Amino acid sequence: MIDTDAVEALSRRVLGPEHKALPPRSWGHTIESFLATSPRLSEFTTPVLTLDRARIASNISVMAEWTARAGVLLAPHGKTSMAPQLWKQQLDAGSWAITLATGWQVQAARAFGVERVLLANAEIDPVALTWIAAELDSHPTFEFYCWVDSVATVHEMDRILAAQGTRSIPVIVELGGPHGRTGARTTDEAIAVARAIASSPRLTLAGVGGYEGALSHDRTDSGLAAVRTYLDNVATLHRALDAEGLYGDHAIVTAGGSAYQDLVVERLHSLTTGEGVPTDVVLRSGAYVVHDDGFYSQISPLTPARTDAPLMSAMHGWARTVSRPEPGLALLDAGKRDFPFDEGLPVPQLVRGTETLDSGAAVTALNDQHAFLRLPAEDAAALPVGSVVRLGLSHPCTAFDKWRLVPVVDDADGDDPRVVDLVHTFF
């Protein structure tokens, strides 16, 4: 499912000053030779993003076991991390495929030998689609699926592929929702798309799917109801296409981000056991691999309040106090170029090597390279210049993309964690 040798070769890449936060003594070393010196986090410059090795392993195991019990397949969204080292761990744990979002990401995955890819998007870029067609022709074991949501998309793919002479490309009809993202807006529109696919000499109808996370951002009764209604519509569409005989001998129904996996199983699992074409339900959750201390820690079904086997936040930011210009305000050396902020600001958790921060401490704003950390009046003398704060972060998808190499530590709760790996990202 992935080229182990290609992934392992990453450890032989040479480090240099282009790798943010790495200590100068690492420059000129390969990753494996640097790690052999047992570096500590205190040797890295701030700001720095870290991953916790044990928590990542636990999260991957939790999700693999959860999907196995639920009777669904898992194709984790690889665009969350764009990290082949993490993809390998996910695939080794039983993931069925890797989901991606752009043609270029598919190219990156193929460079590491990923054998089954779901592109959760339409692919009508001529350069990318021509490349994918050639890749399918030259690699018989490569499986590729992409989305379509309009008859126009089908016609454009046919036009681009006309001169390629490829094997047929399996496509998934995407159903959207009001005020959502992409996807046909009605079942009738989606059926028309499926019929166009059935008439195409170059495309094959593989299934239906979409993204329920675009329709709700919380677990209020109204939010959950919107998600359930949407998923019921996906099921209705699948049954309609099956009844019309538009599938071959197998179908895929795919949905699921990292917020409503439980509802996907609740509303779609019956499709795997009912009459009609044999059907697999495929989840595309991605954020679970590192989870977070923000948005997903509140909305995921796999939190301590909702399960006995929860996910844990495996990513943290570390930033240093560089200024105490006035009482109750500490300026940290981390900002929007270092840590995510689109789904909530970083949350101060502890001071490295000392103690947990007062619960009233809060990051109230980020500039490009600074965080504004406000402190209660009684803690005005806390966080002297030079102190290092561990920050909980929200939204993995906009954390990884800011780092070429991410240090992996043995224990983020330790006084001075040991760095045990460096994870490459490809953005």
Side-chain angles (χ1 to χ4, degrees), residues 49-394:
L49 175 72
T50 63
L51 307 177
D52 186 293
R53 178 174 61 181
R55 293 185 181 194
I56 287 175
S58 175
N59 289 345
I60 291 173
S61 177
V62 163
M63 194 63 180
E65 293 173 5
W66 189 88
T67 52
R69 287 194 305 271
V72 298
L73 300 176
L74 177 63
H77 216 320
K79 60 95 175 171
T80 296
S81 67
M82 284 304 296
Q85 291 152 278
L86 297 183
W87 297 348
K88 182 178 185 303
Q89 291 183 51
Q90 292 169 300
L91 290 167
D92 287 349
S95 290
W96 177 76
I98 293 295
T99 299
L100 295 164
T102 71
W104 173 81
Q105 290 175 3
V106 177
Q107 293 170 346
R110 287 299 294 155
F112 287 91
V114 176
E115 286 287 343
R116 186 183 289 122
V117 170
L118 269 66
L119 178 61
N121 213 339
E123 184 51 86
I124 54 171
D125 179 278
V127 174
L129 187 55
T130 299
W131 180 89
I132 289 166
E135 190 75 0
L136 287 165
D137 274 353
S138 58
H139 295 86
T141 59
F142 175 38
E143 293 182 44
F144 172 81
Y145 306 79
C146 71
W147 276 207
V148 292
D149 71 352
S150 71
V151 173
T153 303
V154 173
H155 291 165
E156 183 66 4
M157 291 185 72
D158 274 338
R159 184 190 68 78
I160 295 167
L161 295 170
Q164 302 308 311
T166 67
R167 55 186 168 115
S168 182
I169 293 180
V171 294
I172 292 169
V173 177
E174 181 188 6
L175 184 67
H179 314 297
R181 206 163 59 184
T182 52
R185 286 304 194 250
T186 69
T187 300
D188 286 345
E189 289 175 8
I191 292 172
V193 176
R195 289 170 180 162
I197 295 166
S199 299
S200 167
R202 301 170 186 89
L203 306 177
T204 302
L205 179 64
V208 301
Y211 177 50
E212 74 287 348
L215 303 178
S216 178
H217 216 61
D218 56 45
R219 279 190 172 261
T220 61
D221 289 345
S222 60
L224 297 178
V227 171
R228 287 188 171 102
T229 297
Y230 169 74
L231 293 170
D232 289 345
N233 290 338
V234 170
T236 297
L237 172 61
H238 168 69
R239 293 188 180 101
L241 301 186
D242 190 15
E244 199 164 318
L246 298 178
Y247 290 128
D249 57 5
H250 177 262
I252 291 169
V253 177
T254 176
S258 298
Y260 304 109
Q261 307 98 299
D262 53 336
L263 301 189
V264 172
V265 172
E266 173 191 303
R267 312 311 279 194
L268 299 182
H269 179 263
S270 63
L271 300 177
T272 68
T273 58
E275 297 180 357
V277 65
T279 301
D280 284 316
V281 171
V282 180
L283 282 173
R284 305 190 312 275
S285 310
Y288 78 91
V289 69
V290 295
H291 199 48
D292 71 6
D293 283 306
F295 177 70
Y296 289 109
S297 72
Q298 301 299 315
I299 200 169
S300 169
L302 299 177
T303 61
R306 301 184 180 109
T307 180
D308 293 331
L311 300 171
M312 298 181 287
S313 179
M315 66 171 183
H316 300 92
W318 304 80
R320 194 177 307 271
T321 306
V322 293
S323 177
R324 291 300 314 271
E326 59 190 61
L329 174 62
L331 274 297
L332 310 181
D333 62 354
K336 294 179 180 179
R337 292 181 175 176
D338 308 300
F339 302 139
F341 56 92
D342 58 314
E343 290 285 2
L345 294 173
V347 179
Q349 294 179 326
L350 55 83
V351 181
R352 189 170 72 194
T354 56
E355 59 188 22
T356 302
L357 278 166
D358 185 279
S359 60
V363 173
T364 58
L366 290 182
N367 291 161
D368 285 352
Q369 306 285 185
H370 291 93
F372 290 72
L373 176 55
R374 299 287 177 178
L375 298 164
E378 59 269 24
D379 286 347
L383 289 184
V385 168
S387 55
V388 175
V389 180
R390 191 184 84 183
L391 300 165
L393 305 175
S394 179

